[in-house]
Amino acid sequence: QVQLVESGGGLVQPGGSLRLSCVASGSIFEVYIMGWYRQAPGKQRRELVAATTNGDRIDYAASVKGRFTISRDNALNTVTLQMNNLKPEDTAVYYCNARDYGKTAAAGSWGRGTQVTVSS
C-alpha cells in the first residue's frame, strides 16, 4: 500500500502562484504514475496532469495547460505541481494520486487533499 501526503495549498490572489507537493511512502515499487486531481465544491473530482516513472507527462485538463507544470523526483518519491496565473475557478481541493502500471486512478492510492483558494 502507498501512502500519500500533500502540502502547499493555501489562499492566493488571482494571478498568483502556488506550489503543491506530494510525498509517497510505503510500497513505492507499485507507483508508476503519480498525478494531480482536483475537486471543486459541488463538482466531481477531475484529472489535471500526471507523470510516469519514465518522466513522461500525461496531460488531461485543457484548462490548466500552460499554467500548471508537473515535476517528479523518483529518488525522493515526490511529485510537485507548480501553479501559475491562478484563477478563481482553480479554487478546489487538490489531491495526489499514485497507481501502478495499467491501473486506473480509482484503483490507486489517494492523499487527503490540500485546499487551494484563489480569491481577492
Side-chain angles (χ1 to χ4, degrees):
Q1 194 169 8
V2 177
Q3 294 79 44
L4 303 172
V5 178
E6 304 102 332
S7 61
L11 173 64
V12 64
Q13 292 186 344
S17 298
L18 280 176
R19 184 178 178 89
L20 305 183
S21 294
C22 172
V23 180
S25 61
S27 302
I28 302 300
F29 61 90
E30 296 179 352
V31 177
Y32 178 66
I33 296 175
M34 292 186 74
W36 289 95
Y37 293 67
R38 71 184 181 190
Q39 186 167 15
K43 296 188 177 181
Q44 291 187 333
R45 191 173 300 185
R46 293 194 60 188
E47 300 166 316
L48 295 179
V49 64
T52 71
T53 302
N54 300 329
D56 296 326
R57 170 173 158 157
I58 305 169
D59 286 328
Y60 299 111
S63 60
V64 303
K65 282 185 178 181
R67 299 189 299 123
F68 290 11
T69 302
I70 190 171
S71 59
R72 182 168 173 176
D73 188 325
N74 292 326
L76 297 177
N77 299 317
T78 61
V79 64
T80 60
L81 185 67
Q82 178 66 42
M83 306 186 294
N84 298 327
N85 190 22
L86 283 162
K87 305 176 181 180
E89 51 264 40
D90 294 318
T91 296
V93 178
Y94 285 69
Y95 296 91
C96 180
N97 175 268
R99 59 192 186 269
D100 202 357
Y101 181 84
K103 289 190 175 180
T104 64
S109 299
W110 294 91
R112 291 188 174 185
T114 184
Q115 176 70 46
V116 171
T117 303
V118 184
S119 175
S120 56

